[in-house]
Amino acid sequence: MTTKEEYDLHVLIPRNELAAIVKGLADRISADYSSGDLVLVCVLKGAFVFLSDLVRLLQIPVEIDFVRLASYGSKMKSSGTIEVTKDIEIPIEGKDVLVVEDIVDSGRTLHFLRDRLSASGARTVRICTLLDKKARREVEINADYVGKEIDDVFVVGYGIDFREEYRYLPDLCYVTPAERTKK
Ligand code: IMP
Ligand code: MG
């Protein structure tokens, strides 16, 4: 399938497999945090679909907040400089925090965010990511809950964008340069 003339989309993880992955994560999180005061911090925008599926499968009460981070560098790769463009609003002091992220790539975004949340006095800060591109790690960061490890492909759909496109796709796809424009 070709869209916008430039890229081909290929399904990487179909919606039924995504649902099973999210259910598995929700069950583990529910078992691990059975005793209250959990705040989920969703990293905007890419994790919004993942978060909304995840929270509806949890069997424990949670508070939900959002953070938005900007990282400077080329569009397909984050650089070292990260800025908070929308901060959390719920006080997290003394609480357990679980960061909900779409993809860990170089690890720079989550390294920054984890340290920042810990410095705000959270009791614990753990990370739940739908996808992990482990081979691309540049700084050490280990997610506590990983939906699926994937190869170094550029993914879109299920909330994740390429230049703000494709977030609405229900399956997780990856993009390649369109076959007919390849030289
Ligand atoms: P990191 O700081 O390099 O780990 O960057 C992680 C962020 O880069 C993710 O939260 C995504 O927003 C973005 N990103 C990394 N890989 C992809 C991809 O394949 N598609 C879309 N966004 C990506
Ligand atoms: Mg992200």
Side-chain angles (χ1 to χ4, degrees), residues 76-78 104-107 132-139 150-153:
M76 283 201 174
K77 193 175 182 301
S78 74
V104 191
D105 188 28
S106 73
D132 191 353
K133 291 186 185 174
K134 227 171 194 160
R136 286 182 40 96
R137 206 69 96 250
E138 290 168 22
V139 298
I150 59 165
D151 292 335
D152 182 13
V153 289

Side-chain angles (χ1 to χ4, degrees), residues 77-78 101-111 114 127 129 131-146 148-152:
K77 193 175 182 301
S78 74
E101 172 65 304
D102 53 359
I103 308 167
V104 191
D105 188 28
S106 73
R108 293 186 192 284
T109 306
L110 282 183
H111 191 266
R114 189 188 56 187
I127 292 164
T129 188
L131 305 168
D132 191 353
K133 291 186 185 174
K134 227 171 194 160
R136 286 182 40 96
R137 206 69 96 250
E138 290 168 22
V139 298
E140 202 189 317
I141 189 104
N142 284 310
D144 303 273
Y145 303 91
V146 176
K148 191 167 185 174
E149 228 181 275
I150 59 165
D151 292 335
D152 182 13

